[in-house]
PDB file of all heavy atoms in Angstrom:
ATOM      1  N   ASP A  99      26.629  -8.826 -26.249  1.00 71.00           N
ATOM      2  CA  ASP A  99      25.527  -7.883 -26.034  1.00 71.00           C
ATOM      3  C   ASP A  99      25.613  -7.166 -24.696  1.00 71.00           C
ATOM      4  O   ASP A  99      24.592  -6.860 -24.089  1.00 71.00           O
ATOM      5  CB  ASP A  99      24.172  -8.587 -26.126  1.00 71.00           C
ATOM      6  CG  ASP A  99      24.040  -9.332 -27.424  1.00 71.00           C
ATOM      7  OD1 ASP A  99      24.601  -8.860 -28.423  1.00 71.00           O
ATOM      8  OD2 ASP A  99      23.384 -10.382 -27.428  1.00 71.00           O
ATOM      9  N   VAL A 100      26.814  -6.929 -24.229  1.00 72.00           N
ATOM     10  CA  VAL A 100      26.945  -6.246 -22.946  1.00 72.00           C
ATOM     11  C   VAL A 100      26.504  -4.808 -23.043  1.00 72.00           C
ATOM     12  O   VAL A 100      25.983  -4.259 -22.085  1.00 72.00           O
ATOM     13  CB  VAL A 100      28.392  -6.242 -22.438  1.00 72.00           C
ATOM     14  CG1 VAL A 100      28.472  -6.944 -21.125  1.00 72.00           C
ATOM     15  CG2 VAL A 100      29.305  -6.795 -23.465  1.00 72.00           C
ATOM     16  N   LEU A 101      26.747  -4.213 -24.189  1.00 72.00           N
ATOM     17  CA  LEU A 101      26.472  -2.789 -24.301  1.00 72.00           C
ATOM     18  C   LEU A 101      25.009  -2.490 -24.028  1.00 72.00           C
ATOM     19  O   LEU A 101      24.685  -1.477 -23.432  1.00 72.00           O
ATOM     20  CB  LEU A 101      26.883  -2.279 -25.692  1.00 72.00           C
ATOM     21  CG  LEU A 101      28.388  -2.119 -25.851  1.00 72.00           C
ATOM     22  CD1 LEU A 101      28.711  -1.342 -27.114  1.00 72.00           C
ATOM     23  CD2 LEU A 101      28.957  -1.399 -24.640  1.00 72.00           C
ATOM     24  N   ASP A 102      24.143  -3.364 -24.461  1.00 76.00           N
ATOM     25  CA  ASP A 102      22.736  -3.165 -24.146  1.00 76.00           C
ATOM     26  C   ASP A 102      22.483  -3.383 -22.670  1.00 76.00           C
ATOM     27  O   ASP A 102      21.743  -2.643 -22.027  1.00 76.00           O
ATOM     28  CB  ASP A 102      21.876  -4.144 -24.966  1.00 76.00           C
ATOM     29  CG  ASP A 102      21.691  -3.649 -26.392  1.00 76.00           C
ATOM     30  OD1 ASP A 102      22.002  -2.472 -26.640  1.00 76.00           O
ATOM     31  OD2 ASP A 102      21.234  -4.427 -27.225  1.00 76.00           O
ATOM     32  N   ASP A 103      23.140  -4.391 -22.151  1.00 84.00           N
ATOM     33  CA  ASP A 103      22.857  -4.779 -20.776  1.00 84.00           C
ATOM     34  C   ASP A 103      23.480  -3.835 -19.758  1.00 84.00           C
ATOM     35  O   ASP A 103      22.925  -3.606 -18.682  1.00 84.00           O
ATOM     36  CB  ASP A 103      23.372  -6.200 -20.543  1.00 84.00           C
ATOM     37  CG  ASP A 103      22.964  -6.724 -19.189  1.00 84.00           C
ATOM     38  OD1 ASP A 103      21.752  -6.665 -18.896  1.00 84.00           O
ATOM     39  OD2 ASP A 103      23.840  -7.149 -18.435  1.00 84.00           O
ATOM     40  N   ILE A 104      24.604  -3.260 -20.124  1.00 85.00           N
ATOM     41  CA  ILE A 104      25.298  -2.390 -19.184  1.00 85.00           C
ATOM     42  C   ILE A 104      24.438  -1.177 -18.847  1.00 85.00           C
ATOM     43  O   ILE A 104      24.552  -0.580 -17.777  1.00 85.00           O
ATOM     44  CB  ILE A 104      26.658  -1.917 -19.782  1.00 85.00           C
ATOM     45  CG1 ILE A 104      27.619  -1.589 -18.666  1.00 85.00           C
ATOM     46  CG2 ILE A 104      26.476  -0.758 -20.704  1.00 85.00           C
ATOM     47  CD1 ILE A 104      28.222  -2.801 -18.044  1.00 85.00           C
ATOM     48  N   ILE A 105      23.565  -0.836 -19.795  1.00 88.00           N
ATOM     49  CA  ILE A 105      22.686   0.309 -19.572  1.00 88.00           C
ATOM     50  C   ILE A 105      21.765   0.065 -18.390  1.00 88.00           C
ATOM     51  O   ILE A 105      21.409   0.989 -17.662  1.00 88.00           O
ATOM     52  CB  ILE A 105      21.876   0.599 -20.854  1.00 88.00           C
ATOM     53  CG1 ILE A 105      22.836   1.020 -21.966  1.00 88.00           C
ATOM     54  CG2 ILE A 105      20.841   1.672 -20.616  1.00 88.00           C
ATOM     55  CD1 ILE A 105      22.162   1.359 -23.261  1.00 88.00           C
ATOM     56  N   GLN A 106      21.401  -1.183 -18.191  1.00 92.00           N
ATOM     57  CA  GLN A 106      20.537  -1.500 -17.053  1.00 92.00           C
ATOM     58  C   GLN A 106      21.240  -1.155 -15.741  1.00 92.00           C
ATOM     59  O   GLN A 106      20.606  -0.635 -14.820  1.00 92.00           O
ATOM     60  CB  GLN A 106      20.162  -2.983 -17.072  1.00 92.00           C
ATOM     61  CG  GLN A 106      19.376  -3.408 -18.311  1.00 92.00           C
ATOM     62  CD  GLN A 106      18.082  -2.622 -18.466  1.00 92.00           C
ATOM     63  OE1 GLN A 106      17.476  -2.209 -17.492  1.00 92.00           O
ATOM     64  NE2 GLN A 106      17.680  -2.403 -19.711  1.00 92.00           N
ATOM     65  N   SER A 107      22.521  -1.444 -15.673  1.00 93.00           N
ATOM     66  CA  SER A 107      23.278  -1.112 -14.467  1.00 93.00           C
ATOM     67  C   SER A 107      23.377   0.396 -14.312  1.00 93.00           C
ATOM     68  O   SER A 107      23.278   0.937 -13.210  1.00 93.00           O
ATOM     69  CB  SER A 107      24.676  -1.718 -14.536  1.00 93.00           C
ATOM     70  OG  SER A 107      24.600  -3.115 -14.633  1.00 93.00           O
TER      71      SER A 107
END
Side-chain angles (χ1 to χ4, degrees):
Chain A
D99 306 327
V100 240
L101 284 192
D102 281 347
D103 187 53
I104 206 78
I105 296 181
Q106 298 302 329
S107 300

